[in-house]
Amino acid sequence: MRQAIAAANWKMNGCAEDVAAFAAALSAVSTTAEKVFAPPAAYLSVAQQANSGFALAAQTGSEHLAGAFTGEIAMPMLTDVGCQYVIVGHSERRALFGESDAVIFAKVQAALASGLTPILCIGETDAENRAGQAEQVLAAQLAPVVKGLGSTEKQRLVIAYEPVWAIGSGRTPLLEDIQSIHEKIRYLFGQNDDTISPSVRILYGGSVKPDNAAAIFALPDVDGGLVGGASLTIESFKKIIKAL
Ligand code: PGA
């Protein structure tokens, strides 16, 4: 059985007061799913102080474990302030901060070495989708972890399929396309070891809203969601959690 995940990615939004209020309200939501909250890094400790029932996540972390990297936050520091998860390879990190597949793989390794569970984001752009290249792009984004991690490490990963064109756009792929891509990702990620595919949790992200969550989460290979905009209020995120 794969436990479903409802993950809130606040990106660079909110203030200390908002984070504390959301964390307290999220703690009180009862569900069989795992609740995950990724506030801005500046407020990780604020969220943790109000946490009595969710997993704390960072939105990114450095591939270096320590040293002269001004402004960066090391994965062991994230563990230290209470994080269990770290989002790695979000499309905004790839596109706006130039993170390559090699850097993202180094971040996955640093996260694993620090006791964190990486939520590895992969997804094709609109142009790649239109050109029929989605599967090829996803396979290339997965290749470093497929080749570079052993079975035990793979078992610790969560994958999030987030088509770049669906993020923040209000557009989502057809349900049948989400299902077939998740099935493909499950196969690709586990191709060297058949214990991996049945157990890896694959989240869908990109314009998940209260009114489309139930249909997306009902798909057999979708194990929950990574939610941006619709996670910014507890009312809306609670409806998404309840759809799981
Ligand atoms: P969105 O963002 O829900 O606002 O589309 C999802 C994400 O970027 O993780």
Side-chain angles (χ1 to χ4, degrees):
M1 261 308 278
R2 302 186 296 263
Q3 189 189 14
I5 295 179
N9 173 14
W10 270 28
K11 309 190 180 184
M12 202 173 73
N13 294 295
C15 62
E17 201 183 334
D18 297 337
V19 168
F22 183 88
L26 181 61
S27 296
V29 178
S30 77
T31 172
T32 53
E34 188 173 1
K35 297 172 283 181
V36 176
F37 179 27
Y43 303 131
L44 283 167
S45 293
V46 172
Q48 186 61 347
Q49 270 161 29
N51 179 5
S52 60
F54 60 84
L56 187 67
Q59 297 175 12
T60 185
S62 174
E63 66 272 35
H64 305 288
L65 293 178
F69 301 99
T70 300
E72 289 291 277
I73 301 178
M75 302 286 183
M77 297 172 184
L78 298 176
T79 311
D80 208 17
V81 296
C83 290
Q84 288 168 248
Y85 287 92
V86 59
I87 299 169
V88 176
H90 190 280
S91 69
E92 287 148 21
R93 302 293 318 173
R94 292 176 190 262
L96 306 173
F97 301 95
E99 290 186 8
S100 64
D101 284 333
V103 165
I104 290 161
F105 180 58
K107 290 186 179 216
V108 167
Q109 288 182 301
L112 290 171
S114 311
L116 294 166
T117 297
I119 300 176
L120 174 64
C121 300
I122 57 173
E124 81 286 359
T125 62
D126 197 24
E128 290 161 346
N129 184 277
R130 284 169 197 274
Q133 293 168 345
E135 275 186 19
Q136 199 182 315
V137 168
L138 296 169
Q141 290 173 341
L142 277 176
V145 288
V146 170
K147 292 187 195 138
L149 297 182
S151 298
T152 328
E153 291 169 309
K154 279 183 193 158
Q155 256 141 18
R156 292 177 48 205
L157 244 66
V158 171
I159 295 174
Y161 169 56
E162 298 205 306
V164 179
W165 52 275
I167 296 176
S169 66
R171 289 167 59 209
T172 53
L174 296 173
L175 291 172
E176 65 233 48
D177 291 343
I178 297 178
Q179 169 53 26
S180 75
I181 286 195
H182 276 236
E183 201 180 331
K184 187 79 189 173
I185 292 169
R186 190 174 295 291
Y187 163 76
L188 286 172
F189 185 62
Q191 63 190 293
N192 300 329
D193 180 336
D194 17 297
T195 62
I196 308 290
S197 292
S199 63
V200 62
R201 291 182 290 177
I202 307 174
L203 313 184
Y204 170 78
S207 296
V208 175
K209 306 286 178 208
D211 62 356
N212 63 16
I216 295 172
F217 296 160
L219 298 168
D221 284 299
V222 174
D223 303 306
L226 179 56
V227 186
S231 75
L232 289 171
T233 68
I234 191 66
E235 292 74 23
S236 151
F237 191 53
K238 192 172 169 178
K239 288 185 190 142
I240 292 171
I241 297 171
K242 295 290 181 185
L244 274 166

